[in-house]
Amino acid sequence: IKDSHILSALSSNSLTIALLALFFMTGQLKQITGADPSYPFYLAVAFGLSAVLIPIVISFRKQIFFCDGKTIRAVFGIHFMRLLAVVGLQIAQWTVVMPYVPLETWLLFLTAQYVLTRIPFLPNTDLLFAGVGLTLLSFVDESQTILAGLFVASGALSQILNLSLFAALSLRDMLKNPSVPFHITDPAAE
């Protein structure tokens, strides 16, 4: 479980760095950093943490990971493919609402979102992203109401999906093993 969590974080950091590198190479990074006065700080923290943590984890992989190298590569690949699928679904969701917005603009929004999610202890990144998204509104010829609704709906759908999966898996486990009580008991007391 620990290995999977670390690899999930590494895949998220890798995707964030790849998106930032894409915008840096195309000269569009100023669009992201100019969206909010505090965003360059967020960008520096996210990039700094990613740039430091990825090499450390790779260097000390034998001390950090329990799994062998082949399994680590496979799990990392699964997490990275999952992230690409989520990015694709997110872009598809946004494109359904606003089909005339170019892919580069959606990638700009996703880069801003991924940078915010890489900052530790940052409360409610969904709301913060909605605020940053509204400041990036100049790249979309649409009203603030539609874009705000899009970001709120996106965050709500994510929370609903998480709750639904949790409830469904909990129900499945309860039905699979009905003898397990709902509360924790001390086996020595029985």
Side-chain angles (χ1 to χ4, degrees), residues 52-64:
V52 168
L53 291 177
I54 289 174
I56 287 174
V57 170
I58 290 172
S59 297
F60 294 102
R61 68 184 174 275
K62 291 181 181 175
Q63 291 81 14
I64 296 173

Side-chain angles (χ1 to χ4, degrees), residues 9-10 12-14 16-17 44-55 118:
L10 282 176
S12 295
N13 287 341
S14 299
T16 302
I17 288 175
V45 170
F47 186 77
L49 286 173
S50 298
V52 168
L53 291 177
I54 289 174
R118 298 294 88 213

Side-chain angles (χ1 to χ4, degrees), residues 19-91:
L19 288 169
L20 287 171
L22 174 73
F23 281 101
F24 179 76
M25 290 186 305
T26 60
Q28 298 176 348
L29 193 58
K30 289 180 185 177
Q31 295 172 344
I32 297 172
T33 57
D36 184 324
S38 58
Y39 206 73
F41 171 74
Y42 296 148
L43 182 65
V45 170
F47 186 77
L49 286 173
S50 298
V52 168
L53 291 177
I54 289 174
I56 287 174
V57 170
I58 290 172
S59 297
F60 294 102
R61 68 184 174 275
K62 291 181 181 175
Q63 291 81 14
I64 296 173
F65 294 111
F66 177 76
C67 298
D68 60 50
K70 183 179 178 183
T71 304
I72 288 171
R73 285 187 296 279
V75 171
F76 178 83
I78 290 168
H79 281 296
F80 199 77
M81 294 307 292
R82 173 187 56 86
L83 280 173
L84 292 178
V86 167
V87 164
L89 289 171
Q90 187 73 54
I91 290 172

